[in-house]
Amino acid sequence: MKKRKVGIGIFVIVLIITAVRVKSMDSHRISGRILAENIAGPGMMRLVEQSMQAQAQKTSVTEIAVKEWKHPQAALTFDDGPDIRYTPLLLDGLKERNVRASFFLLGEKVEQYPELVERMQKEGHLVGNHTYHHVQLNKLNETKAREEILKTNNLIYETTGVYPLYLRPPFGAWKKNLELCVEMLPVFWTIDTLDWKVQNTEKIVHTVQEQIEDGAIILMHDEYDTSVEAALQVADDLKAQGYELVTVDQLILP
Ligand SMILES: [Zn+2]
């Protein structure tokens, strides 16, 4: 009984090899099939072919899935910091989760808490500019607007050794063509959590859940306990949903 099973197994393997050769050598396809049919008979041949087709389909579907499926991405961004009380808590939580975020800092606070800025840089976060005094750039003349930006850039550079390339304009107000004279990219957002206004962890998390999509840039402020709590919860939720949390440069640059 065992011998018979082994015999059938070898026979099927030979058939499969023959059929594979038939498939891979188109010019010999017809003669190969006739050969296989002569050995096995048409019924057996059909069964082997069917199982090979099923296998081929399975393989190609898996291959396509591996090739085309990419994690959706989102960026957590924090404005107005660093904050002596809440930024360290946020950095701890992000580190625990191995998540990188983007921080848009006020120059006056970089001057106050350089050690926090240094830590952000060391831990792989993106450090960006949010002007020196939180000014509305389109209400200033070009000289003043440049001053607000460049003074902050210089402070960040002195602290981290990296010159910032990204700037979040306070109030989302950008001065036309300013990017040309400061050579920076303005970064806006797609989800405004209004965390500073609601100061309610559940509501902030809910706003993100409702609006989340691939490429989302989430705006928050690391100045409130509710924002830090919500941000870490959002990080856990998004990871569970298959999202990759990235810094904004990864969403902006191709
Ligand atoms: Zn701001």
Side-chain angles (χ1 to χ4, degrees):
M1 191 66 183
K2 259 190 179 172
K3 270 187 184 172
R4 217 178 136 197
K5 272 192 180 168
V6 172
I8 291 171
I10 291 170
F11 184 58
V12 170
I13 289 166
V14 168
L15 273 177
I16 290 172
I17 292 167
T18 312
V20 168
R21 289 190 62 188
V22 168
K23 268 207 149 182
S24 63
M25 296 161 71
D26 258 345
S27 56
H28 298 110
R29 196 183 176 95
I30 294 164
S31 62
R33 173 183 284 273
I34 291 165
L35 184 75
E37 275 175 358
N38 284 341
I39 299 168
M44 185 70 167
M45 189 61 202
R46 200 169 59 236
L47 282 178
V48 172
E49 267 186 351
Q50 270 171 7
S51 83
M52 282 187 67
Q53 269 170 12
Q55 188 59 37
Q57 261 173 14
K58 216 167 132 190
T59 310
S60 61
V61 167
T62 316
E63 276 170 4
I64 289 165
V66 167
K67 219 174 172 183
E68 290 187 354
W69 198 81
K70 188 179 145 271
H71 282 279
Q73 294 181 319
L76 291 173
T77 71
F78 301 92
D79 287 7
D80 298 4
D83 182 274
I84 190 63
R85 195 160 169 202
Y86 297 110
T87 306
L89 297 177
L90 177 61
L91 289 172
D92 290 345
L94 293 174
K95 195 175 178 186
E96 255 170 53
R97 291 163 176 79
N98 197 25
V99 166
R100 312 272 177 276
S102 306
F103 291 88
F104 294 97
L105 308 179
L106 292 175
E108 55 187 350
K109 290 199 183 169
V110 174
E111 249 173 356
Q112 280 180 303
Y113 311 115
E115 66 287 352
L116 288 176
V117 184
E118 221 177 312
R119 183 177 166 192
M120 286 170 185
Q121 181 69 38
K122 259 192 206 152
E123 294 181 1
H125 303 292
L126 181 140
V127 179
N129 185 327
H130 196 46
T131 76
Y132 187 86
H133 296 106
H134 206 270
V135 288
Q136 191 167 336
L137 290 164
N138 62 352
K139 288 197 170 168
L140 300 181
N141 65 37
E142 199 178 291
T143 312
K144 282 272 173 209
R146 272 174 60 114
E147 232 176 70
E148 280 282 333
I149 295 169
L150 297 181
K151 191 174 175 188
T152 307
N153 274 353
N154 288 335
L155 283 167
I156 293 174
Y157 179 72
E158 280 165 23
T159 312
T160 63
V162 180
Y163 203 79
L165 291 172
Y166 297 89
L167 179 142
R168 166 147 306 139
F171 317 103
W174 189 237
K175 199 174 170 67
K176 203 179 166 203
N177 293 333
L178 194 58
E179 67 277 15
L180 301 175
C181 67
V182 291
E183 292 184 343
M184 295 186 84
L185 280 174
V187 177
F188 298 89
W189 54 86
T190 65
I191 301 177
D192 188 353
T193 60
L194 296 173
D195 59 327
W196 57 276
K197 201 171 167 185
V198 298
Q199 293 190 35
N200 176 311
T201 308
E202 230 171 83
K203 281 187 184 168
I204 300 166
V205 171
H206 184 69
T207 302
V208 176
Q209 278 169 348
E210 271 189 336
Q211 299 180 37
I212 193 68
E213 58 180 357
D214 189 15
I217 298 179
I218 302 161
L219 170 60
M220 299 178 109
H221 300 78
D222 47 333
E223 298 176 288
Y224 311 95
D225 55 350
T226 45
S227 297
V228 172
E229 261 178 42
L232 298 177
Q233 208 174 307
V234 162
D236 290 338
D237 288 353
L238 292 182
K239 275 175 125 183
Q241 284 176 49
Y243 271 83
E244 184 189 359
L245 291 165
V246 297
T247 47
V248 286
D249 52 331
Q250 287 174 269
L251 292 180
I252 290 167
L253 298 176

Coordinates of all heavy atoms in Angstrom, one line a residue, residues 79-80 106 130 134 170-171 221, ligand 1:
D79 N 3.2 71.8 17.8 CA 3.6 73.3 17.7 C 3.8 73.9 19.1 O 3.3 73.4 20.1 CB 2.5 74.0 16.9 CG 2.5 73.7 15.5 OD1 3.2 72.8 15.0 OD2 1.7 74.4 14.7
D80 N 4.5 75.0 19.0 CA 4.6 76.0 20.2 C 5.5 75.6 21.3 O 5.6 76.3 22.3 CB 3.2 76.3 20.8 CG 2.2 77.0 19.8 OD1 2.6 77.1 18.6 OD2 1.1 77.3 20.2
L106 N 9.2 77.4 18.9 CA 9.3 78.8 18.9 C 10.7 79.2 19.4 O 11.2 78.6 20.3 CB 8.3 79.4 20.0 CG 6.8 79.2 19.6 CD1 5.9 79.7 20.8 CD2 6.5 80.0 18.4
H130 N 8.8 77.6 14.1 CA 7.5 78.1 14.2 C 7.5 79.6 14.5 O 6.6 80.1 15.1 CB 6.8 77.3 15.3 CG 5.3 77.5 15.4 ND1 4.5 77.3 14.3 CD2 4.4 77.7 16.4 CE1 3.2 77.5 14.6 NE2 3.1 77.7 15.9
H134 N 6.0 83.6 17.7 CA 4.6 83.1 17.3 C 3.9 84.3 16.6 O 2.8 84.7 17.0 CB 3.8 82.6 18.5 CG 2.8 81.6 18.1 ND1 1.5 82.0 17.7 CD2 2.8 80.3 17.9 CE1 0.8 81.0 17.4 NE2 1.5 79.9 17.5
P170 N 2.7 80.2 12.1 CA 1.7 80.3 13.1 C 0.3 80.7 12.4 O 0.3 81.5 11.5 CB 2.2 81.4 14.0 CG 3.7 81.3 13.9 CD 3.9 80.9 12.4
F171 N -0.8 80.2 12.9 CA -2.1 80.4 12.4 C -2.3 80.0 10.9 O -3.2 80.3 10.2 CB -2.5 81.9 12.5 CG -2.1 82.6 13.8 CD1 -1.0 83.4 13.9 CD2 -2.8 82.3 14.9 CE1 -0.6 83.9 15.1 CE2 -2.5 82.8 16.1 CZ -1.3 83.7 16.2
H221 N -0.4 70.3 20.1 CA 0.5 71.2 20.9 C 0.9 70.4 22.1 O 0.1 70.0 22.9 CB -0.3 72.4 21.2 CG -0.8 73.2 20.0 ND1 -1.9 72.8 19.3 CD2 -0.2 74.3 19.4 CE1 -2.1 73.6 18.3 NE2 -1.1 74.5 18.3
Ligands
ZN1 ZN 1.4 77.9 17.1

